[in-house]
Amino acid sequence: MGNGLGLVATLVTQARGRIAPPDDAAVLEGLLGHAWNASREKWPGVDLSAELFVRHLAERLPEVSPGSPLAPVLESLSLAELYLACACAQGLPLATRLFETHYLAKLPGMLGYLKQPSAALDDICQLTRVKLLVRTPESGPRINDYTGRGALMSWVRVTAVRIALKLQAADKPEPEEDVAELIEALPAPGRDAELDLIRQRHQAELRQAIRDAFSALSSDERHLLRLYFVDKLSTTELGALLRVNQSTVSRWLKSARQTVHDETRRHLRARLNLSAAGFQSFLDVLDSQLDLSISQLFGEEDRLAGERGLEARGGAEPGPVMKR
């Protein structure tokens, strides 16, 4: 591992007061050393010192309450991808080639649902590359903004979508009704003891039913829901991005959400042996949690995709470099 001494001191100093010196410094020293080693193994040939990696990590750690363990925080981060991002920010040529091969090269396929001409997609991808990897007189490369919270591919895709949106800013539609006016306000979770009891007893069945319901969505509907619930694009932004008016986007969102609701209801009815009254109460729970569950499922997909991608790439040789 090399000289890993003092990693905890580096972490605490570079975090600038957001974390306190831990009581179990020796244990944390070992965790940081292991994180560095494991990350290097995922990207053979990309060599960062342990101190440099830990400094980069410390600057992006969320604030932790005094006395709270840091191990769960570290485990929640995509450390191997944060390592690659740090190496790219340092300008290491191999890291840049790996980032282009395993991330930027996938953007055209991932952005196909935007229905942009090939030339426009090329522009979006090249602008994304420049924004993320090129240092300017005013600032370093924007890949420095990646914090490790979530899959790197998802973060890159969101950056590209934002660039696509800016390129179409001149085509803004007239403001119309927002989706919030089309989708009725949902009751807040925990509004009575009966719903709380049903939620606790059948939480697993509810989440699985929503997962199954997603299979009924088209790829375009999934992308639309992801842009709205995960990327937090407004209906106005979505209209500009997809070259339709805002009311059309609102109808699409309402239809996709209704499909998830109806399919979830069908799966639940087949699985649960509830009375008519009990099933109606369960549907109230479904309504109260549907939007949150959709966001959570996309988050799980991104995390699992990132983990599978890292496993598949372990030890892989760099492929062709994205055209510049």
Side-chain angles (χ1 to χ4, degrees), residues 1 4-9 11 22 24-38 50 53-54 71 74 79:
M1 184 180 74
L5 298 178
L7 296 182
V8 171
L11 186 79
D24 54 349
V27 174
L28 181 58
E29 185 81 22
L31 288 174
L32 293 172
H34 174 74
W36 174 65
N37 261 326
F53 173 57
V54 170
L74 295 177
L79 294 175

Side-chain angles (χ1 to χ4, degrees), residues 14-286:
Q14 204 65 32
R16 304 182 190 280
R18 286 180 293 109
I19 61 174
D23 295 332
D24 54 349
V27 174
L28 181 58
E29 185 81 22
L31 288 174
L32 293 172
H34 174 74
W36 174 65
N37 261 326
S39 298
R40 291 174 71 237
E41 290 173 1
K42 291 293 184 182
W43 309 106
V46 179
D47 293 323
L48 287 175
S49 70
E51 182 179 1
L52 181 58
F53 173 57
V54 170
R55 185 184 304 126
H56 188 87
L57 167 64
E59 292 171 348
R60 288 151 185 83
L61 275 179
E63 188 168 350
V64 179
S65 301
S68 298
L70 285 175
V73 177
L74 295 177
E75 291 172 0
S76 71
L77 301 176
S78 184
L79 294 175
E81 294 188 309
L82 188 63
Y83 181 96
L84 181 66
C86 176
C88 288
Q90 294 298 315
L92 299 187
L94 178 57
T96 300
R97 291 199 298 272
L98 288 169
F99 181 72
E100 289 177 327
T101 299
H102 296 299
Y103 295 92
L104 294 178
K106 295 178 180 178
L107 273 180
M110 298 184 73
L111 299 177
Y113 68 96
L114 298 179
K115 303 188 186 306
Q116 299 284 332
S118 296
L121 274 180
D122 286 344
D123 287 343
I124 293 168
C125 293
Q126 295 304 330
L127 287 171
T128 302
R129 183 193 184 279
V130 170
K131 181 172 185 177
L132 295 182
L133 295 178
V134 176
R135 186 180 301 274
T136 68
E138 294 78 24
S139 65
R142 292 298 298 276
I143 198 168
N144 261 323
D145 294 345
Y146 175 64
T147 63
R149 302 175 211 175
L152 179 56
M153 188 70 249
S154 178
W155 184 82
V156 171
R157 182 183 58 80
V158 170
T159 301
V161 169
R162 294 288 183 183
I163 289 174
L165 184 62
K166 289 182 179 179
L167 291 178
Q168 297 182 23
D171 299 327
K172 289 182 179 179
E174 290 299 318
E176 298 183 41
E177 57 187 343
D178 190 79
V179 71
E181 298 175 7
L182 292 175
I183 302 176
E184 295 181 358
L186 299 176
R191 59 191 178 91
D192 61 41
E194 179 188 14
L195 295 191
D196 281 342
L197 180 60
I198 293 174
R199 182 182 302 108
Q200 294 169 14
R201 184 174 299 169
H202 299 294
Q203 181 69 25
E205 289 90 341
L206 174 60
R207 291 183 64 78
Q208 186 58 50
I210 294 177
R211 288 191 183 95
D212 293 342
F214 262 54
S215 64
L217 294 175
S218 68
S219 59
D220 285 345
E221 287 174 321
R222 288 174 65 89
H223 284 310
L224 182 67
L225 290 176
R226 176 182 284 276
L227 288 168
Y228 183 73
F229 285 106
V230 180
D231 299 343
K232 305 298 183 184
L233 295 186
S234 69
T235 53
T236 300
E237 291 174 316
L238 286 170
L241 187 63
L242 303 178
R243 297 179 182 272
V244 296
N245 60 47
Q246 189 181 20
S247 61
T248 297
V249 173
S250 297
R251 287 195 298 273
W252 287 349
L253 282 167
K254 183 179 180 182
S255 175
R257 186 186 179 281
Q258 189 64 47
T259 297
V260 176
H261 181 282
D262 293 345
E263 285 296 304
T264 302
R265 174 173 177 161
R266 185 174 66 81
H267 285 293
L268 287 173
R269 186 181 294 278
R271 290 176 180 172
L272 300 178
N273 184 23
L274 294 175
S275 65
F279 188 71
Q280 183 56 51
S281 294
F282 199 97
L283 292 181
D284 291 339
V285 175
L286 169 62

